Amino acid sequence: MSKKKAMTGAEAAATAMKQINPDVVAAYPITPQTPVVMKFSEFVNDGEVDTEMIRVESEHSAMSACVGASAAGARAMTATASAGLALMWEVVGVASGSRLPIVMNVVNRALSAPINIHCDHSDSMGARDLSWIQLYSEDAQEAYENTILAVKLAEHPEVQLPAMVSQDGFITSHGVQNVTVYSTDKIKKFLGERKPIKALLDVDDPVTMGPLQLQDYYFETKKQQDNAMEKARQVYIDTGKELSKITGNDYGFVEAYNLDSAEYVIVTISSTAGTVKSVIDKMDNPKIGLLKIRMFRPFPYEEVARLLEDKKAVAILDRSESFGADAPIYGEVKNALYNAKSHPKLQSYIFGLGGRDIYEKDIENVFESLLKEDIEDKKRYIGVRE
Amino acid sequence: MSESQKKGYKEIPIGGMITKAGSSAEFKTGDWKSFTPVWEKEKCIHCMICPAYCPEDCIPKKDGKRLETDFDMCKGCGICAEVCPVKCIEMKEQGDSDE
Amino acid sequence: MIEIRIHGRGGQGAKTAANFLAMAAMEKGKQIQSFPEYGPERAGAPMKAYTRISDKKIKTYAPVVSPDIVLVIDPTFIGNINVTEGIKQDGIMIVNSRETPDKVKEKTGFSGEVHTVDASGIAISATGLNKPNVPMLGALIKITDLIPVESIEKLVRKKFTEKIGEEKTQATVEAINRAYKEVN
């Protein structure tokens, strides 16, 4: 039986973790991730999960503990944000390089300096090349479902890669919304137990993990990681179809909204995609649409190219910067279109850094500019004072 | 190992994992040494202190006697020479060795 | 969709009020959203919290700019803080104040529907604490009929009993009902 509840995005992620019932959770609190772990530790305290909760002294240790647990054969999870992700950086690469399917909720927050606790995507976008699968959630419901999906995807024998599930700090993590929570029994059945290919605690089949590899083999190991990422595409689709039997929801690489009839499109991720939908509904113009990217790593180049190549103009809204270079989503969309049969005009927009509010009026203005094909070959910044 | 003997990315375990236990025995560390322990067999009292101290476990023993060092494994650390109570082991530069 | 903005001071429970409103509406089968304005959270500093209630899925995550209803939990805001900003012409403002609605209209310059209720007085006499946030919801329910008063009562009992004990919880429920009756 599914239940309809009012909860924050943070509670939704913690609820997913409760149903996943990981063997080990190691985490260190950081705003705005704190309520995820706070809520989960309540579940631990109340005996609602069997999880070994490790209270570590830093995020570097949190990820280290997850690496150890996952290598031992456990299902390990953590959550972090911003400076926490930055501090664990070294071990984030160890997790993926060692092919450990750890799942981490990232509650997106700006990076210091200047110090700022509010939402942007600098933290996880900065980690986009660390060989972690990345899913971005529009709302609490998606954060809940993506967390469950990510575990099965990460642990798939052909994938064996860690996964980050992102939601917008405060906007999603601290806002109360409607969330449908599915039957724990069904989720448990969907996930099953983790079946590691090799585990350090398997004394009958001893292995060494994390050894030295120099010029002779390191390169081959990295090639394997890229192959696993490529395989993750189909596994994601298949796993999504399986989860869909419980939830009734679709899990595409992207979500198209009013896209068939649209000639002018906004591409974005996370909660702002919801705001764009709302503006599309209000503007009531069949020529405008949204392409929401759900999976950023691996990046769905084919789908993005196929859905955008016949459009007239596309605005890509990034909530993070790549200083002196194309913003992360914009750069990928541009890449995707290079081999396409035709090319829409593209406009890069940076918005919402450090939690700067994005209003419906801002989105309307972007659509108005698109409709006029008012495009320039440089980044535009929404709401930055001159 | 020659280039042609090295395995491709499809053949090796993921994540740099080593799936064979005790495979370090196949890794000959003998060519690391710049000093070689030269053992005066006649002076040796077979007290068994040096095999116990050898970090590489490369001094074989048989029937209460120590045997010649396994030079394929010996890294030339000199601990055996240091702990020997009768000073029957001398560390000699590789070139000086009779070996 | 109904959009509600609640003005309070950090620690006065504006966020709790916004959440209760959303949760109670959800019980009625509504789509909901509630969130505080995320500034630096300091006790005593003016802050805002928002609730959206709708029959359809709420897609937007943009801040509320033109609320249908404004709740003012702290009486000292009237005349000092622009609590009417963006409020719809036919919007409703409910203020925790001992003054008459006309007096509040005069001070705020808002010509729409204004109601007042002495939520602080009611809270203090009921529980001994100046916690006007939940009683304010009693007034809101009377004026707008957004949610049934029973659903707020149920929520208060569920969330408060463990925290403040049965006696104070009962007193809080009575305060809600008093505010419901006494709102001007």
Side-chain angles (χ1 to χ4, degrees):
Chain A
M1 260 298 285
S2 64
K3 282 191 190 133
K4 296 195 187 307
K5 297 194 170 186
M7 61 169 80
T8 62
E11 281 172 358
T15 302
M17 288 169 77
K18 181 176 88 171
Q19 295 187 315
I20 293 161
N21 193 13
D23 301 301
V24 172
V25 167
Y28 189 78
I30 182 168
T31 300
Q33 158 265 32
T34 312
V36 177
V37 182
M38 202 172 76
K39 189 74 195 169
F40 186 76
S41 58
E42 281 176 27
F43 296 140
V44 175
N45 186 55
D46 296 346
E48 292 191 60
V49 290
D50 312 314
T51 307
E52 185 74 37
M53 179 97 193
I54 309 177
R55 284 168 297 171
V56 286
E57 73 283 5
S58 76
E59 285 85 359
H60 190 278
S61 301
M63 187 49 73
S64 297
C66 285
V67 162
S70 188
R75 180 175 278 164
M77 296 184 77
T78 186
T80 195
S82 181
L85 179 56
L87 181 60
M88 64 167 64
W89 203 265
E90 177 193 8
V91 198
V92 173
V94 173
S96 51
S98 304
R99 306 294 297 279
L100 301 171
I102 297 159
V103 172
M104 170 161 67
N105 271 282
V106 176
V107 184
N108 284 126
R109 163 184 157 181
L111 286 173
S112 297
I115 196 162
N116 180 300
I117 60 168
H118 295 289
C119 177
D120 71 33
H121 302 146
S122 317
D123 47 4
S124 58
M125 280 299 171
R128 65 194 187 274
D129 291 338
L130 286 180
S131 182
W132 281 58
I133 291 162
Q134 289 195 338
L135 304 175
Y136 287 84
S137 319
E138 178 182 328
D139 53 21
Q141 187 71 40
E142 280 193 8
Y144 163 70
E145 292 175 22
N146 282 345
T147 305
I148 293 164
L149 196 160
V151 171
K152 184 140 183 163
L153 169 60
E155 291 177 2
H156 190 280
E158 293 199 335
V159 179
Q160 301 278 316
L161 283 170
M164 283 179 206
V165 178
S166 288
Q167 59 174 289
D168 280 349
F170 287 107
I171 301 161
T172 310
S173 66
H174 287 54
V176 175
Q177 302 170 32
N178 304 69
V179 175
T180 303
V181 176
Y182 305 102
S183 140
T184 301
D185 285 347
K186 281 185 185 169
I187 299 299
K188 282 197 161 49
K189 214 173 142 204
F190 164 76
L191 289 174
E193 287 263 313
R194 182 186 167 203
K195 294 187 193 72
I197 296 174
K198 300 278 181 184
L200 288 184
L201 283 185
D202 183 358
V203 290
D204 295 327
D205 184 12
V207 293
T208 303
M209 291 191 193
L212 183 77
Q213 278 190 331
L214 300 176
Q215 298 95 322
D216 51 356
Y217 278 107
Y218 180 88
F219 206 171
E220 278 69 25
T221 298
K222 294 293 127 179
K223 174 71 179 100
Q224 288 177 334
Q225 278 173 242
D226 189 59
N227 275 36
M229 268 290 178
E230 289 303 326
K231 283 184 178 156
R233 298 175 194 277
Q234 191 55 45
V235 176
Y236 169 76
I237 294 298
D238 296 344
T239 312
K241 279 183 185 152
E242 214 183 310
L243 183 57
S244 182
K245 286 179 195 156
I246 301 172
T247 66
N249 295 328
D250 290 331
Y251 306 92
F253 299 123
V254 296
E255 183 191 340
Y257 192 80
N258 212 40
L259 202 62
D260 286 345
S261 63
E263 294 172 352
Y264 301 95
V265 179
I266 286 180
V267 178
T268 194
I269 59 171
S270 297
S271 69
T272 307
T275 307
V276 174
K277 287 177 187 173
S278 174
V279 172
I280 290 170
D281 293 350
K282 284 179 187 165
M283 287 177 77
D284 195 25
N285 180 344
K287 285 185 175 178
I288 59 170
L290 164 74
L291 182 67
K292 177 179 88 180
I293 312 282
R294 295 183 63 134
M295 185 186 230
F296 191 75
R297 282 293 180 270
F299 191 83
Y301 293 101
E302 272 181 46
E303 292 69 19
V304 168
R306 185 169 47 79
L307 291 165
L308 294 181
E309 62 189 357
D310 59 348
K311 305 304 178 195
K312 285 189 174 155
V314 177
I316 298 95
L317 272 57
D318 275 275
R319 201 165 196 153
S320 65
E321 254 288 24
S322 185
F323 302 98
D326 285 343
I329 309 170
Y330 173 74
E332 297 298 15
V333 170
K334 198 160 85 170
N335 280 345
L337 288 162
Y338 186 79
N339 291 321
K341 64 178 189 325
S342 57
H343 303 115
K345 292 176 181 169
L346 299 182
Q347 175 64 55
S348 174
Y349 285 91
I350 310 289
F351 77 97
L353 299 192
R356 179 69 58 86
D357 282 329
I358 179 94
Y359 292 92
E360 293 197 345
K361 187 72 199 154
D362 298 323
I363 305 288
E364 269 177 55
N365 290 341
V366 171
F367 274 128
E368 296 295 349
S369 296
L370 278 179
L371 287 160
K372 284 185 280 189
E373 299 194 21
D374 165 19
I375 303 284
E376 56 188 332
D377 190 20
K378 61 177 186 186
K379 293 174 198 170
R380 285 181 184 162
Y381 296 82
I382 298 176
V384 161
R385 292 181 298 275
E386 295 283 329
Chain B
M1 199 183 278
S2 73
E3 274 305 313
S4 61
Q5 285 174 293
K6 286 178 190 162
K7 289 179 177 166
Y9 72 87
K10 289 176 185 161
E11 301 164 291
I12 59 172
I14 60 166
M17 194 158 44
I18 298 168
T19 51
K20 194 175 153 188
S23 61
S24 60
E26 291 169 24
F27 190 30
K28 308 293 183 205
T29 51
D31 60 355
W32 292 17
K33 61 180 169 290
S34 49
F35 287 87
T36 303
V38 177
W39 174 47
E40 271 184 75
K41 201 174 169 181
E42 294 70 30
K43 236 170 122 180
C44 178
I45 57 167
H46 299 278
C47 66
M48 296 299 153
I49 290 177
C50 64
Y53 272 87
C54 174
E56 196 63 29
D57 197 19
C58 67
I59 304 173
K61 312 172 287 264
K62 202 182 175 191
D63 303 329
K65 307 262 183 194
R66 71 151 278 183
L67 307 175
E68 183 57 278
T69 303
D70 179 351
F71 292 105
D72 278 347
M73 291 298 177
C74 173
K75 292 171 178 165
C77 69
I79 289 174
C80 53
E82 188 68 27
V83 298
C84 179
V86 296
K87 298 294 166 207
C88 74
I89 303 168
E90 191 188 345
M91 297 307 291
K92 288 192 171 169
E93 276 199 53
Q94 282 261 273
D96 307 342
S97 169
D98 299 335
E99 206 205 350
Chain C
M1 180 162 66
I2 303 283
E3 295 183 306
I4 300 146
R5 184 172 69 212
I6 305 177
H7 291 266
R9 291 186 185 276
Q12 277 180 333
K15 185 179 154 194
T16 303
N19 287 352
F20 275 19
L21 203 50
M23 287 176 190
M26 193 210 65
E27 297 278 320
K28 237 180 94 182
K30 298 283 187 188
Q31 294 289 311
I32 52 102
Q33 215 184 62
S34 77
F35 52 100
E37 170 198 62
Y38 308 107
E41 288 178 22
R42 301 180 308 262
M47 56 82 69
K48 290 172 258 186
Y50 306 92
T51 304
R52 288 189 169 108
I53 300 171
S54 173
D55 291 326
K56 288 189 284 186
K57 183 173 165 64
I58 300 167
K59 293 168 186 163
T60 190
Y61 289 91
V64 171
V65 287
S66 53
D68 301 272
I69 300 164
V70 169
L71 283 188
V72 183
I73 291 183
D74 195 299
T76 65
F77 288 169
I78 299 302
N80 293 317
I81 282 179
N82 187 6
V83 292
T84 60
E85 188 181 6
I87 188 170
K88 291 203 174 85
Q89 285 291 311
D90 57 350
I92 301 170
M93 186 159 71
I94 305 169
V95 183
N96 170 22
S97 172
R98 273 181 246 169
E99 292 180 311
T100 62
D102 284 339
K103 189 84 186 162
V104 170
K105 274 188 193 181
E106 188 189 307
K107 282 187 179 172
T108 58
F110 178 59
S111 54
E113 191 177 335
V114 175
H115 301 273
T116 58
V117 61
D118 181 16
S120 288
I122 291 170
I124 289 167
S125 74
T127 66
L129 298 168
N130 187 2
K131 291 273 182 196
N133 58 337
V134 178
M136 284 293 285
L137 295 181
L140 176 75
I141 290 164
K142 171 77 174 291
I143 305 298
T144 64
D145 205 22
L146 265 177
I147 45 168
V149 73
E150 299 79 42
S151 56
I152 283 289
E153 278 188 27
K154 209 175 111 191
L155 265 175
V156 166
R157 289 191 202 281
K158 193 174 148 195
K159 301 270 176 185
F160 280 17
T161 307
E162 205 180 314
K163 267 190 192 165
I164 61 171
E166 221 153 283
E167 199 183 324
K168 284 222 165 79
T169 304
Q170 181 55 32
T172 306
V173 169
E174 279 163 21
I176 296 169
N177 285 306
R178 255 189 76 191
Y180 182 90
K181 284 180 205 137
E182 293 177 17
V183 63
N184 300 304

